[in-house]
Amino acid sequence: MDNGRRSLEEIEQIALGRRLLDMSPQEVRAVAKAHKFLCDAIEQRRRIYGVTTGYGPLATTNVDPKQSALLQQNLVYHLCSGVGEPLSHRHVRAMMMARLTSLMRGHSGANPLLIDRLQAWLKVDLVPEIPARGTVGASGDLTPLAHLARALTGEGRVSLRGGRWVSSSDAHHQLGWKPLVLQGKDAIALVNGTSATAGIAAVNAVASQRALKLSTLLVLLYAELLAGHREAFHPAIGELRPHPGQRQLHRWLWSLSADSGALTPWQPRSETLPDMPGDIEQHRPLPQDAYTLRCAPQALGAVWDVVEQHAQTARIELEAVTDNPLLFADDDLVLHGGNFFGQQLAFASDHLNNALIQMALYSERRIARITNPVMNKGLPAFMQPLDTGLHSGFMGAQVSATALVAELRSQAMPASIQSIPTNADNQDIVPLGTIAARRASTSLEQLYQVLAIEALVLVQGAELKPTMSLSSASQSLCVWVRELVAPLEQDRPLAEDIAKLAQALADPDQVAPLTALLNAEG
């Protein structure tokens, strides 16, 4: 870590409960300094929004500092209006982590005791019940973060180490803790930020990067099964259309296919036409492949560009201070503004969602071609090796992939353009970034299910061509899949296999041997 900066991979590991959060000495000093500055400003009875005033359109009301704790408590109470199913365990931890990274910058004025307690919650894996719906992301993620604040004060429900929901007061008693009393700027510092959106976006970012890398490996195996032309992967093609993602895909596919004996090899010089004294010669093999193969660097390269743009937006947001007002202790300044307005994440999440849907579509099209005996160059229909017709192989799984893509397309309407004025027209524009981030997360889950189906189909296809000389990357993929799921010899229910493989593909630690194949290729 550098000056408190945490990578997206570190955020994900903390979200998964596989890593602890450390606070740097610089962050400890910055938090203490900002809190002292706030306390001095309150003592001086300075007018500070949400600390010595009411909230939103009620900010015309001055509030005596002696009522600080009641003001903060009432902020939490009136915002605890979330509805719907709870956010997932990892998304809540990611939200908590994102809020901490903002508070630890030392411009929010939160009590150091609050930050210590949030760290302790992450350490013991205590998470609050956070309803998924109810935030517009305009003044930050007020509603979900208010449910976090409520739990910190001993109210609401929590889960310890993934267990059943219990009352927060009982969990505090079990852990030997006293619930916090929020005062000063503690509650508004907690709720007035983009941390639910940023946390979910951070998890989405690394999951999307992995999905793209896995798609690249699947494209290579797909190309090998169809004896595709390696020529389409040549890096010189990408150099003439130098989008970063396309160039990256050319490099990956060209390097990974170097030891493949299954692809149609590239010849530096084109073959010459035979003498044709009579009629034009027809029905020769096509010199190039269908677009799912030939345009893979262009298609997946465009996805990679979007994935990287989204990841960069998430990185910047996780290094930001996103509440209001902001404290500048060194300059004796309290500035009122709108850093809580999550438009960047809203746009990035919607853009990512479209790219994820396209990635699922590309996968479904590859599944459709490779299971079709008219197009798959001699492989059996639906990869059923024995008694085809009596057994149907992956026919049902291919239909499921189609259904998943159809559902994903129905979820493609951007959230970031759906602004509805609220809060007595104080929030007269709203970005709706949390909806966009949650939608992208749902798309990711379904994308991994499609990729799992594709992996099962392609690995089965590789085993039906035992004499084929696969690239070492494809061999590694086949071995990895077979350690989890047995071959399909006779029809059996595939739901559990698909779920098991999708879960493994989405797990950063389980899938690390595969993603490392691309990391090694730059």
Side-chain angles (χ1 to χ4, degrees):
M1 297 183 188
D2 179 29
N3 295 325
R5 293 179 180 174
R6 292 156 182 94
S7 70
L8 296 176
E9 290 76 16
E10 289 171 320
I11 297 289
E12 181 186 47
Q13 287 294 309
I14 293 169
L16 293 171
R18 299 172 186 177
R19 185 186 178 104
L20 296 177
L21 169 65
D22 296 319
M23 193 171 177
S24 71
Q26 296 95 320
E27 289 170 328
V28 172
R29 290 192 294 269
V31 166
K33 188 174 187 177
H35 184 247
K36 183 180 184 305
F37 173 67
L38 174 71
C39 292
D40 291 344
I42 294 173
E43 184 71 21
Q44 297 161 15
R45 300 182 64 85
R46 292 170 67 170
R47 197 167 190 274
I48 304 172
Y49 172 79
V51 178
T52 57
T53 76
Y55 299 107
L58 305 180
T60 54
T61 304
N62 293 330
V63 177
D64 192 307
K66 293 179 182 177
Q67 295 183 297
S68 169
L70 181 59
L71 177 69
Q72 299 298 296
Q73 180 190 71
N74 286 340
L75 171 67
V76 172
Y77 280 175
H78 93 263
L79 290 173
C80 278
S81 54
V83 297
E85 71 280 1
L87 289 176
S88 70
H89 190 90
R90 75 180 190 283
H91 283 165
V92 175
R93 285 183 60 92
M95 178 187 78
M96 294 165 65
M97 175 64 193
R99 196 74 219 119
L100 271 169
T101 61
S102 182
L103 297 178
M104 292 189 310
R105 293 287 174 189
H107 292 282
S108 301
N111 193 320
L113 295 176
L114 167 60
I115 291 175
D116 289 344
R117 181 58 58 84
L118 278 171
Q119 285 183 279
W121 276 46
L122 287 172
K123 183 176 182 179
V124 302
D125 196 18
L126 183 67
V127 303
E129 184 179 26
I130 307 290
R133 297 180 178 86
T135 178
V136 296
S139 195
D141 293 311
L142 295 172
T143 306
L145 289 166
H147 284 272
L148 166 62
R150 180 190 183 198
L152 287 163
T153 65
E155 299 185 29
R157 299 200 303 177
V158 297
S159 169
L160 181 61
R161 291 185 285 276
R164 62 183 180 85
W165 295 115
V166 299
S167 72
S168 179
S169 60
D170 287 347
H172 277 83
H173 179 74
Q174 179 181 342
L175 293 166
W177 295 343
K178 290 184 178 180
L180 291 178
V181 176
L182 303 177
Q183 52 191 339
K185 190 172 174 281
D186 289 345
I188 191 170
L190 266 175
V191 307
N192 215 190
T194 62
S195 300
T197 309
I200 296 170
V203 174
N204 289 346
V206 284
S208 300
Q209 290 170 331
R210 282 196 301 276
L212 189 284
K213 292 178 179 180
L214 292 168
S215 292
T216 302
L217 292 174
L218 292 171
V219 161
L220 177 58
L221 179 53
Y222 168 77
E224 290 180 294
L225 290 177
L226 295 178
H229 292 79
R230 186 174 179 242
E231 179 181 358
F233 302 155
H234 200 294
I237 298 173
E239 293 302 317
L240 292 185
R241 195 180 185 221
H243 293 289
Q246 181 179 333
R247 294 172 70 188
Q248 180 64 79
L249 265 292
H250 278 292
R251 288 194 296 269
W252 276 338
L253 287 167
W254 186 254
S255 179
L256 292 170
S257 64
D259 61 351
S260 174
L263 293 172
T264 299
W266 171 64
Q267 301 295 336
R269 291 181 60 85
S270 301
E271 63 178 301
T272 58
L273 293 175
D275 293 333
M276 295 183 292
D279 295 336
I280 295 173
E281 188 175 357
Q282 296 180 330
H283 306 301
R284 289 185 53 78
L286 284 169
Q288 50 192 15
D289 304 299
Y291 285 13
T292 47
L293 193 159
R294 189 187 350 152
C295 297
Q298 289 79 9
L300 291 180
V303 172
W304 185 246
D305 283 336
V306 174
V307 167
E308 287 298 277
Q309 290 162 11
H310 171 272
Q312 181 61 9
T313 301
R315 289 187 195 100
I316 292 171
E317 196 73 10
L318 289 165
E319 294 178 10
V321 182
T322 59
D323 57 298
N324 175 59
L326 298 173
L327 311 180
F328 297 82
D330 290 339
D331 302 309
D332 192 30
L333 283 177
V334 178
L335 296 180
H336 296 78
N339 271 5
F340 45 59
F341 196 78
Q343 192 69 69
Q344 293 92 340
L345 286 173
F347 283 152
S349 294
D350 277 338
H351 200 190
L352 176 68
N353 192 50
N354 284 341
L356 297 174
I357 293 170
Q358 282 296 93
M359 209 187 323
L361 171 64
Y362 300 150
S363 177
E364 189 276 337
R365 289 294 80 203
R366 295 192 297 267
I367 296 168
R369 179 172 287 269
I370 204 70
T371 55
N372 186 339
V374 176
M375 300 180 179
N376 66 13
K377 296 192 175 181
L379 287 164
F382 302 104
M383 296 300 169
Q384 176 51 50
L386 300 173
D387 298 323
T388 303
L390 176 62
H391 298 283
S392 298
F394 288 96
M395 182 186 292
Q398 193 257 325
V399 172
S400 293
T402 304
L404 285 165
V405 171
E407 184 173 338
L408 283 168
R409 284 175 163 176
S410 73
Q411 299 167 359
M413 176 67 73
S416 57
I417 60 172
Q418 307 296 331
S419 179
I420 303 175
T422 188
N423 194 229
D425 260 2
N426 173 49
Q427 298 180 26
D428 54 351
I429 54 172
V430 298
L432 300 169
T434 319
I435 296 173
R438 286 196 299 105
R439 182 176 293 171
S441 177
T442 299
S443 294
L444 267 166
E445 181 179 350
Q446 293 175 281
L447 168 61
Y448 272 105
Q449 291 163 351
V450 177
L451 294 178
I453 293 170
E454 183 182 7
L456 291 172
V457 169
L458 294 181
V459 170
Q460 178 102 350
E463 292 167 346
L464 294 176
K465 287 189 172 183
T467 60
M468 184 173 55
S469 179
L470 292 176
S471 63
S472 57
S474 291
Q475 293 178 41
S476 296
L477 172 63
C478 292
V479 169
W480 187 88
V481 169
R482 279 293 166 255
E483 288 176 350
L484 294 167
V485 179
L488 182 64
E489 296 176 353
Q490 298 179 341
D491 284 354
R492 67 169 188 264
L494 291 172
E496 290 80 8
D497 291 338
I498 294 169
K500 181 179 182 179
L501 189 56
Q503 184 177 9
L505 289 169
D507 188 293
D509 294 333
Q510 277 191 267
V511 82
L514 297 183
T515 55
L517 297 171
L518 288 93
N519 295 339
E521 302 301 332

